[in-house]
Amino acid sequence: MHSTKRIASNSLFYTGALILQKILSTLYFWYYSNNLPGGASDVGRFNFVLSFVTLFFIIGDLGLYLVFLRESSKSPDRANRYLNTLLTIKLPLMVLAILVILGLSHLHLADNFLLLALALIWILLDSLTALFYAVLRSRQNLKYESIAVIIYQLIVIGIGAASIKLSGNIIYLIIALIIGTGLNLIFSATVVIFKLKFKIRLAYDPSIVKFFLKALPAFTVAGILVKILNSLDTVLIKQLTDDFRAVAFYTIPLKIVTVLSLTLPTALMGALYPAFSSLSAYKSPALNKIWEKSIEYLLIISLPIGFGFLALGQNIISALWKPEYLSAVLPGKIMLFALPFIFIAFPTGNLLNAIDRQKCTAFSRGLGVITLFLLSIILIPKFYLIGAAIAMLCTHIVIVCSDIYFLRDRFLLILPALSKSFARILLASFVMFAIIKILALYLPWYSLILIGGGAYFGVLWAVGGIDAKAIFKYL
């Protein structure tokens, strides 16, 4: 069994690497979005292609990765047999995914067929890479992946930036992803083969196949639905507007939301989910308190970001991007207010999983997919990107409300304390917003971020909204 110290060390190391990778990825996005010769049209085309293949390549995995990770963690001695059988299962699924993507590309996206074919190579390599890293994750060995994720990002940035200078063709941005992911696949496979002494081959074990397929529905549906949520909006915007520029304008605030939601709440839940599971098993009353505090601290982080972008969105976009991207400002102001709901869905969803109500988690995310699809079809043709932003906001409100409905007994217990916390956070956010708007005529935006942040935490502390020791008291 792995020691707590080792698990904590690996988790901290990986979280730090992930944060650094997201920073590098955001800087790279800023660079290519400002320097591609085709401007917003090229940016939209590039991001649409990646979202399209990501959405439909779900067929090539169907959540088998998550089942493999869980079962390999439980039985490390069987991981090699699991991996060989899984590669055999995934082969026909990946072929099916390839045929579907190429078929749809040929019929409906013929002008971008080459880009989609190249993106398909990237997602195929990425899917295989994830399997090899799952072997290492199952052994709580995250250091190789932590190092590789940074090197991978640097390779992609280096090749991508050079290609923009030399050519400006977005084909080379996808080639950069292929090269970076290909090298990452070779590295991960090498570690698994030579460090762990795995023997990789195609094998078919009927008992393992039956076991994996039986575990698949209940355990992985929510993960599949989250993947759909992360890609569907971009694909729908392109299909409903027939405008790659619209995809680019939507992608700028979406990038902010994605980077924040894949770092801060992910890191917190990585630390708290084991506590959720353990306290649930022992029916400890401390579980509700930890859940309450996790929601409170995620609100402390996310709500002022929404108010901050409401106050400074135009200043930030104007300073960091070309004038054509000003169309991203208003949708961005709406989308950033989805951030608190996206953050809260992490502790609500993780708690449902911890108390063995995964079907409820999946139902909420499925309801979110339906909401996003229907609202996008209704609102985007009428209101363009404003409609897309409203659809996104409503989607995440629906997900959180659905989770809370399934947790209503627990939620009613924490509601009085949480309401008081929310009132303090909202007050501090309003004060921050007012100070920023007053000083916006006199100071640059980056100074206002620092001043606004200081004012926010100052007010929050003054009204008793910060208690950094509380969450650790219950762990």
Side-chain angles (χ1 to χ4, degrees), residues 360-389:
C360 297
T361 311
F363 178 86
S364 297
R365 276 76 194 155
L367 196 59
V369 170
I370 294 170
T371 302
L372 180 62
F373 182 76
L374 293 177
L375 288 182
S376 295
I377 290 176
I378 295 169
L379 298 177
I380 291 177
K382 293 182 178 179
F383 304 108
Y384 196 53
L385 289 181
I386 303 300

PDB file of all heavy atoms in Angstrom, residues 360-389:
ATOM      1  N   CYS A 360     -26.734   9.566 -10.074  1.00  0.00           N
ATOM      2  CA  CYS A 360     -27.252  10.928  -9.913  1.00  0.00           C
ATOM      3  C   CYS A 360     -26.293  11.937 -10.548  1.00  0.00           C
ATOM      4  O   CYS A 360     -26.730  12.902 -11.181  1.00  0.00           O
ATOM      5  CB  CYS A 360     -27.456  11.251  -8.440  1.00  0.00           C
ATOM      6  SG  CYS A 360     -28.683  10.199  -7.618  1.00  0.00           S
ATOM      7  N   THR A 361     -24.991  11.693 -10.347  1.00  0.00           N
ATOM      8  CA  THR A 361     -23.984  12.552 -10.984  1.00  0.00           C
ATOM      9  C   THR A 361     -24.151  12.528 -12.497  1.00  0.00           C
ATOM     10  O   THR A 361     -24.136  13.568 -13.163  1.00  0.00           O
ATOM     11  CB  THR A 361     -22.556  12.082 -10.621  1.00  0.00           C
ATOM     12  OG1 THR A 361     -22.466  11.892  -9.211  1.00  0.00           O
ATOM     13  CG2 THR A 361     -21.516  13.082 -11.066  1.00  0.00           C
ATOM     14  N   ALA A 362     -24.306  11.322 -13.037  1.00  0.00           N
ATOM     15  CA  ALA A 362     -24.473  11.177 -14.484  1.00  0.00           C
ATOM     16  C   ALA A 362     -25.764  11.835 -14.960  1.00  0.00           C
ATOM     17  O   ALA A 362     -25.787  12.491 -16.013  1.00  0.00           O
ATOM     18  CB  ALA A 362     -24.465   9.695 -14.863  1.00  0.00           C
ATOM     19  N   PHE A 363     -26.836  11.686 -14.194  1.00  0.00           N
ATOM     20  CA  PHE A 363     -28.119  12.288 -14.575  1.00  0.00           C
ATOM     21  C   PHE A 363     -27.974  13.811 -14.679  1.00  0.00           C
ATOM     22  O   PHE A 363     -28.470  14.422 -15.639  1.00  0.00           O
ATOM     23  CB  PHE A 363     -29.200  11.935 -13.552  1.00  0.00           C
ATOM     24  CG  PHE A 363     -30.538  12.551 -13.846  1.00  0.00           C
ATOM     25  CD1 PHE A 363     -31.434  11.917 -14.693  1.00  0.00           C
ATOM     26  CD2 PHE A 363     -30.891  13.783 -13.300  1.00  0.00           C
ATOM     27  CE1 PHE A 363     -32.661  12.489 -14.978  1.00  0.00           C
ATOM     28  CE2 PHE A 363     -32.115  14.368 -13.583  1.00  0.00           C
ATOM     29  CZ  PHE A 363     -33.004  13.717 -14.428  1.00  0.00           C
ATOM     30  N   SER A 364     -27.315  14.421 -13.697  1.00  0.00           N
ATOM     31  CA  SER A 364     -27.158  15.878 -13.695  1.00  0.00           C
ATOM     32  C   SER A 364     -26.374  16.341 -14.914  1.00  0.00           C
ATOM     33  O   SER A 364     -26.743  17.329 -15.566  1.00  0.00           O
ATOM     34  CB  SER A 364     -26.444  16.333 -12.418  1.00  0.00           C
ATOM     35  OG  SER A 364     -27.209  16.039 -11.278  1.00  0.00           O
ATOM     36  N   ARG A 365     -25.287  15.628 -15.232  1.00  0.00           N
ATOM     37  CA  ARG A 365     -24.483  16.012 -16.400  1.00  0.00           C
ATOM     38  C   ARG A 365     -25.230  15.742 -17.702  1.00  0.00           C
ATOM     39  O   ARG A 365     -25.093  16.492 -18.680  1.00  0.00           O
ATOM     40  CB  ARG A 365     -23.137  15.285 -16.398  1.00  0.00           C
ATOM     41  CG  ARG A 365     -22.065  15.967 -15.535  1.00  0.00           C
ATOM     42  CD  ARG A 365     -22.299  15.714 -14.083  1.00  0.00           C
ATOM     43  NE  ARG A 365     -21.529  16.590 -13.200  1.00  0.00           N
ATOM     44  CZ  ARG A 365     -21.921  16.861 -11.974  1.00  0.00           C
ATOM     45  NH1 ARG A 365     -23.058  16.377 -11.498  1.00  0.00           N
ATOM     46  NH2 ARG A 365     -21.199  17.637 -11.195  1.00  0.00           N
ATOM     47  N   GLY A 366     -26.014  14.681 -17.724  1.00  0.00           N
ATOM     48  CA  GLY A 366     -26.837  14.416 -18.902  1.00  0.00           C
ATOM     49  C   GLY A 366     -27.869  15.496 -19.107  1.00  0.00           C
ATOM     50  O   GLY A 366     -28.126  15.935 -20.244  1.00  0.00           O
ATOM     51  N   LEU A 367     -28.477  15.956 -18.009  1.00  0.00           N
ATOM     52  CA  LEU A 367     -29.428  17.064 -18.076  1.00  0.00           C
ATOM     53  C   LEU A 367     -28.734  18.327 -18.572  1.00  0.00           C
ATOM     54  O   LEU A 367     -29.306  19.114 -19.334  1.00  0.00           O
ATOM     55  CB  LEU A 367     -30.030  17.302 -16.688  1.00  0.00           C
ATOM     56  CG  LEU A 367     -31.299  18.147 -16.594  1.00  0.00           C
ATOM     57  CD1 LEU A 367     -32.430  17.527 -17.413  1.00  0.00           C
ATOM     58  CD2 LEU A 367     -31.712  18.299 -15.136  1.00  0.00           C
ATOM     59  N   GLY A 368     -27.472  18.501 -18.166  1.00  0.00           N
ATOM     60  CA  GLY A 368     -26.693  19.640 -18.634  1.00  0.00           C
ATOM     61  C   GLY A 368     -26.441  19.594 -20.135  1.00  0.00           C
ATOM     62  O   GLY A 368     -26.546  20.611 -20.825  1.00  0.00           O
ATOM     63  N   VAL A 369     -26.124  18.410 -20.649  1.00  0.00           N
ATOM     64  CA  VAL A 369     -25.906  18.252 -22.095  1.00  0.00           C
ATOM     65  C   VAL A 369     -27.173  18.597 -22.870  1.00  0.00           C
ATOM     66  O   VAL A 369     -27.135  19.313 -23.883  1.00  0.00           O
ATOM     67  CB  VAL A 369     -25.445  16.816 -22.421  1.00  0.00           C
ATOM     68  CG1 VAL A 369     -25.464  16.577 -23.931  1.00  0.00           C
ATOM     69  CG2 VAL A 369     -24.050  16.560 -21.878  1.00  0.00           C
ATOM     70  N   ILE A 370     -28.309  18.090 -22.399  1.00  0.00           N
ATOM     71  CA  ILE A 370     -29.588  18.383 -23.066  1.00  0.00           C
ATOM     72  C   ILE A 370     -29.884  19.877 -23.029  1.00  0.00           C
ATOM     73  O   ILE A 370     -30.319  20.475 -24.024  1.00  0.00           O
ATOM     74  CB  ILE A 370     -30.732  17.581 -22.394  1.00  0.00           C
ATOM     75  CG1 ILE A 370     -30.531  16.078 -22.618  1.00  0.00           C
ATOM     76  CG2 ILE A 370     -32.091  18.021 -22.937  1.00  0.00           C
ATOM     77  CD1 ILE A 370     -31.465  15.205 -21.802  1.00  0.00           C
ATOM     78  N   THR A 371     -29.644  20.503 -21.872  1.00  0.00           N
ATOM     79  CA  THR A 371     -29.874  21.943 -21.732  1.00  0.00           C
ATOM     80  C   THR A 371     -29.005  22.737 -22.689  1.00  0.00           C
ATOM     81  O   THR A 371     -29.476  23.659 -23.369  1.00  0.00           O
ATOM     82  CB  THR A 371     -29.585  22.391 -20.282  1.00  0.00           C
ATOM     83  OG1 THR A 371     -30.425  21.655 -19.378  1.00  0.00           O
ATOM     84  CG2 THR A 371     -29.841  23.881 -20.110  1.00  0.00           C
ATOM     85  N   LEU A 372     -27.714  22.387 -22.738  1.00  0.00           N
ATOM     86  CA  LEU A 372     -26.786  23.089 -23.622  1.00  0.00           C
ATOM     87  C   LEU A 372     -27.203  22.949 -25.084  1.00  0.00           C
ATOM     88  O   LEU A 372     -27.203  23.933 -25.839  1.00  0.00           O
ATOM     89  CB  LEU A 372     -25.370  22.547 -23.427  1.00  0.00           C
ATOM     90  CG  LEU A 372     -24.273  23.175 -24.283  1.00  0.00           C
ATOM     91  CD1 LEU A 372     -24.119  24.663 -23.972  1.00  0.00           C
ATOM     92  CD2 LEU A 372     -22.938  22.459 -24.077  1.00  0.00           C
ATOM     93  N   PHE A 373     -27.572  21.750 -25.474  1.00  0.00           N
ATOM     94  CA  PHE A 373     -27.953  21.495 -26.866  1.00  0.00           C
ATOM     95  C   PHE A 373     -29.211  22.275 -27.247  1.00  0.00           C
ATOM     96  O   PHE A 373     -29.233  22.993 -28.264  1.00  0.00           O
ATOM     97  CB  PHE A 373     -28.165  19.999 -27.071  1.00  0.00           C
ATOM     98  CG  PHE A 373     -28.517  19.625 -28.483  1.00  0.00           C
ATOM     99  CD1 PHE A 373     -27.541  19.592 -29.468  1.00  0.00           C
ATOM    100  CD2 PHE A 373     -29.824  19.320 -28.831  1.00  0.00           C
ATOM    101  CE1 PHE A 373     -27.866  19.256 -30.782  1.00  0.00           C
ATOM    102  CE2 PHE A 373     -30.158  18.987 -30.130  1.00  0.00           C
ATOM    103  CZ  PHE A 373     -29.166  18.961 -31.109  1.00  0.00           C
ATOM    104  N   LEU A 374     -30.253  22.175 -26.419  1.00  0.00           N
ATOM    105  CA  LEU A 374     -31.518  22.826 -26.748  1.00  0.00           C
ATOM    106  C   LEU A 374     -31.410  24.347 -26.713  1.00  0.00           C
ATOM    107  O   LEU A 374     -31.887  25.035 -27.632  1.00  0.00           O
ATOM    108  CB  LEU A 374     -32.611  22.360 -25.783  1.00  0.00           C
ATOM    109  CG  LEU A 374     -33.023  20.886 -25.896  1.00  0.00           C
ATOM    110  CD1 LEU A 374     -34.072  20.542 -24.837  1.00  0.00           C
ATOM    111  CD2 LEU A 374     -33.552  20.573 -27.287  1.00  0.00           C
ATOM    112  N   LEU A 375     -30.769  24.889 -25.670  1.00  0.00           N
ATOM    113  CA  LEU A 375     -30.641  26.348 -25.571  1.00  0.00           C
ATOM    114  C   LEU A 375     -29.748  26.902 -26.678  1.00  0.00           C
ATOM    115  O   LEU A 375     -30.002  27.998 -27.190  1.00  0.00           O
ATOM    116  CB  LEU A 375     -30.106  26.750 -24.201  1.00  0.00           C
ATOM    117  CG  LEU A 375     -31.072  26.607 -23.026  1.00  0.00           C
ATOM    118  CD1 LEU A 375     -30.428  27.088 -21.736  1.00  0.00           C
ATOM    119  CD2 LEU A 375     -32.365  27.382 -23.280  1.00  0.00           C
ATOM    120  N   SER A 376     -28.729  26.162 -27.052  1.00  0.00           N
ATOM    121  CA  SER A 376     -27.851  26.614 -28.138  1.00  0.00           C
ATOM    122  C   SER A 376     -28.619  26.702 -29.447  1.00  0.00           C
ATOM    123  O   SER A 376     -28.506  27.685 -30.190  1.00  0.00           O
ATOM    124  CB  SER A 376     -26.650  25.665 -28.288  1.00  0.00           C
ATOM    125  OG  SER A 376     -25.826  25.708 -27.150  1.00  0.00           O
ATOM    126  N   ILE A 377     -29.409  25.683 -29.731  1.00  0.00           N
ATOM    127  CA  ILE A 377     -30.198  25.672 -30.973  1.00  0.00           C
ATOM    128  C   ILE A 377     -31.210  26.824 -30.992  1.00  0.00           C
ATOM    129  O   ILE A 377     -31.457  27.439 -32.031  1.00  0.00           O
ATOM    130  CB  ILE A 377     -30.925  24.312 -31.130  1.00  0.00           C
ATOM    131  CG1 ILE A 377     -29.906  23.219 -31.436  1.00  0.00           C
ATOM    132  CG2 ILE A 377     -31.969  24.375 -32.225  1.00  0.00           C
ATOM    133  CD1 ILE A 377     -30.506  21.837 -31.521  1.00  0.00           C
ATOM    134  N   ILE A 378     -31.779  27.125 -29.827  1.00  0.00           N
ATOM    135  CA  ILE A 378     -32.786  28.191 -29.752  1.00  0.00           C
ATOM    136  C   ILE A 378     -32.150  29.579 -29.757  1.00  0.00           C
ATOM    137  O   ILE A 378     -32.601  30.487 -30.472  1.00  0.00           O
ATOM    138  CB  ILE A 378     -33.646  28.019 -28.478  1.00  0.00           C
ATOM    139  CG1 ILE A 378     -34.456  26.718 -28.557  1.00  0.00           C
ATOM    140  CG2 ILE A 378     -34.576  29.217 -28.281  1.00  0.00           C
ATOM    141  CD1 ILE A 378     -35.116  26.329 -27.248  1.00  0.00           C
ATOM    142  N   LEU A 379     -31.074  29.758 -28.973  1.00  0.00           N
ATOM    143  CA  LEU A 379     -30.541  31.096 -28.709  1.00  0.00           C
ATOM    144  C   LEU A 379     -29.470  31.569 -29.692  1.00  0.00           C
ATOM    145  O   LEU A 379     -29.412  32.769 -30.008  1.00  0.00           O
ATOM    146  CB  LEU A 379     -29.982  31.159 -27.281  1.00  0.00           C
ATOM    147  CG  LEU A 379     -30.990  30.930 -26.143  1.00  0.00           C
ATOM    148  CD1 LEU A 379     -30.277  30.946 -24.801  1.00  0.00           C
ATOM    149  CD2 LEU A 379     -32.081  31.991 -26.182  1.00  0.00           C
ATOM    150  N   ILE A 380     -28.608  30.668 -30.157  1.00  0.00           N
ATOM    151  CA  ILE A 380     -27.497  31.118 -31.011  1.00  0.00           C
ATOM    152  C   ILE A 380     -27.987  31.729 -32.326  1.00  0.00           C
ATOM    153  O   ILE A 380     -27.503  32.794 -32.724  1.00  0.00           O
ATOM    154  CB  ILE A 380     -26.500  29.972 -31.257  1.00  0.00           C
ATOM    155  CG1 ILE A 380     -25.765  29.628 -29.947  1.00  0.00           C
ATOM    156  CG2 ILE A 380     -25.469  30.362 -32.329  1.00  0.00           C
ATOM    157  CD1 ILE A 380     -24.814  28.454 -30.046  1.00  0.00           C
ATOM    158  N   PRO A 381     -28.937  31.113 -33.034  1.00  0.00           N
ATOM    159  CA  PRO A 381     -29.412  31.754 -34.276  1.00  0.00           C
ATOM    160  C   PRO A 381     -30.017  33.142 -34.051  1.00  0.00           C
ATOM    161  O   PRO A 381     -29.949  34.007 -34.931  1.00  0.00           O
ATOM    162  CB  PRO A 381     -30.465  30.773 -34.797  1.00  0.00           C
ATOM    163  CG  PRO A 381     -30.097  29.456 -34.193  1.00  0.00           C
ATOM    164  CD  PRO A 381     -29.563  29.795 -32.840  1.00  0.00           C
ATOM    165  N   LYS A 382     -30.610  33.379 -32.870  1.00  0.00           N
ATOM    166  CA  LYS A 382     -31.259  34.662 -32.595  1.00  0.00           C
ATOM    167  C   LYS A 382     -30.302  35.695 -32.009  1.00  0.00           C
ATOM    168  O   LYS A 382     -30.354  36.878 -32.356  1.00  0.00           O
ATOM    169  CB  LYS A 382     -32.443  34.463 -31.634  1.00  0.00           C
ATOM    170  CG  LYS A 382     -33.596  33.662 -32.219  1.00  0.00           C
ATOM    171  CD  LYS A 382     -34.745  33.552 -31.216  1.00  0.00           C
ATOM    172  CE  LYS A 382     -35.925  32.782 -31.809  1.00  0.00           C
ATOM    173  NZ  LYS A 382     -37.049  32.655 -30.833  1.00  0.00           N
ATOM    174  N   PHE A 383     -29.439  35.240 -31.091  1.00  0.00           N
ATOM    175  CA  PHE A 383     -28.619  36.191 -30.332  1.00  0.00           C
ATOM    176  C   PHE A 383     -27.115  35.992 -30.518  1.00  0.00           C
ATOM    177  O   PHE A 383     -26.318  36.601 -29.805  1.00  0.00           O
ATOM    178  CB  PHE A 383     -28.973  36.105 -28.840  1.00  0.00           C
ATOM    179  CG  PHE A 383     -30.423  36.332 -28.554  1.00  0.00           C
ATOM    180  CD1 PHE A 383     -31.247  35.277 -28.176  1.00  0.00           C
ATOM    181  CD2 PHE A 383     -30.974  37.603 -28.665  1.00  0.00           C
ATOM    182  CE1 PHE A 383     -32.592  35.476 -27.918  1.00  0.00           C
ATOM    183  CE2 PHE A 383     -32.322  37.819 -28.413  1.00  0.00           C
ATOM    184  CZ  PHE A 383     -33.132  36.757 -28.038  1.00  0.00           C
ATOM    185  N   TYR A 384     -26.723  35.117 -31.445  1.00  0.00           N
ATOM    186  CA  TYR A 384     -25.315  34.910 -31.784  1.00  0.00           C
ATOM    187  C   TYR A 384     -24.543  34.478 -30.540  1.00  0.00           C
ATOM    188  O   TYR A 384     -24.978  33.591 -29.821  1.00  0.00           O
ATOM    189  CB  TYR A 384     -24.775  36.201 -32.413  1.00  0.00           C
ATOM    190  CG  TYR A 384     -23.473  36.072 -33.170  1.00  0.00           C
ATOM    191  CD1 TYR A 384     -23.305  35.132 -34.175  1.00  0.00           C
ATOM    192  CD2 TYR A 384     -22.397  36.910 -32.896  1.00  0.00           C
ATOM    193  CE1 TYR A 384     -22.116  35.035 -34.878  1.00  0.00           C
ATOM    194  CE2 TYR A 384     -21.198  36.827 -33.592  1.00  0.00           C
ATOM    195  CZ  TYR A 384     -21.073  35.890 -34.582  1.00  0.00           C
ATOM    196  OH  TYR A 384     -19.889  35.805 -35.276  1.00  0.00           O
ATOM    197  N   LEU A 385     -23.410  35.093 -30.234  1.00  0.00           N
ATOM    198  CA  LEU A 385     -22.578  34.644 -29.124  1.00  0.00           C
ATOM    199  C   LEU A 385     -23.188  34.939 -27.761  1.00  0.00           C
ATOM    200  O   LEU A 385     -22.881  34.265 -26.779  1.00  0.00           O
ATOM    201  CB  LEU A 385     -21.184  35.278 -29.214  1.00  0.00           C
ATOM    202  CG  LEU A 385     -20.300  34.764 -30.353  1.00  0.00           C
ATOM    203  CD1 LEU A 385     -18.944  35.436 -30.319  1.00  0.00           C
ATOM    204  CD2 LEU A 385     -20.139  33.252 -30.269  1.00  0.00           C
ATOM    205  N   ILE A 386     -24.015  35.954 -27.681  1.00  0.00           N
ATOM    206  CA  ILE A 386     -24.720  36.206 -26.420  1.00  0.00           C
ATOM    207  C   ILE A 386     -25.589  35.000 -26.088  1.00  0.00           C
ATOM    208  O   ILE A 386     -25.665  34.557 -24.934  1.00  0.00           O
ATOM    209  CB  ILE A 386     -25.592  37.474 -26.509  1.00  0.00           C
ATOM    210  CG1 ILE A 386     -24.743  38.689 -26.892  1.00  0.00           C
ATOM    211  CG2 ILE A 386     -26.311  37.718 -25.191  1.00  0.00           C
ATOM    212  CD1 ILE A 386     -23.633  39.002 -25.931  1.00  0.00           C
ATOM    213  N   GLY A 387     -26.243  34.449 -27.096  1.00  0.00           N
ATOM    214  CA  GLY A 387     -27.050  33.253 -26.902  1.00  0.00           C
ATOM    215  C   GLY A 387     -26.212  32.064 -26.455  1.00  0.00           C
ATOM    216  O   GLY A 387     -26.626  31.300 -25.578  1.00  0.00           O
ATOM    217  N   ALA A 388     -25.013  31.902 -27.038  1.00  0.00           N
ATOM    218  CA  ALA A 388     -24.122  30.805 -26.644  1.00  0.00           C
ATOM    219  C   ALA A 388     -23.677  30.959 -25.195  1.00  0.00           C
ATOM    220  O   ALA A 388     -23.606  29.978 -24.441  1.00  0.00           O
ATOM    221  CB  ALA A 388     -22.914  30.760 -27.569  1.00  0.00           C
ATOM    222  N   ALA A 389     -23.376  32.206 -24.802  1.00  0.00           N
ATOM    223  CA  ALA A 389     -22.935  32.468 -23.434  1.00  0.00           C
ATOM    224  C   ALA A 389     -24.060  32.190 -22.433  1.00  0.00           C
ATOM    225  O   ALA A 389     -23.837  31.599 -21.368  1.00  0.00           O
ATOM    226  CB  ALA A 389     -22.456  33.913 -23.302  1.00  0.00           C
TER     227      ALA A 389
END
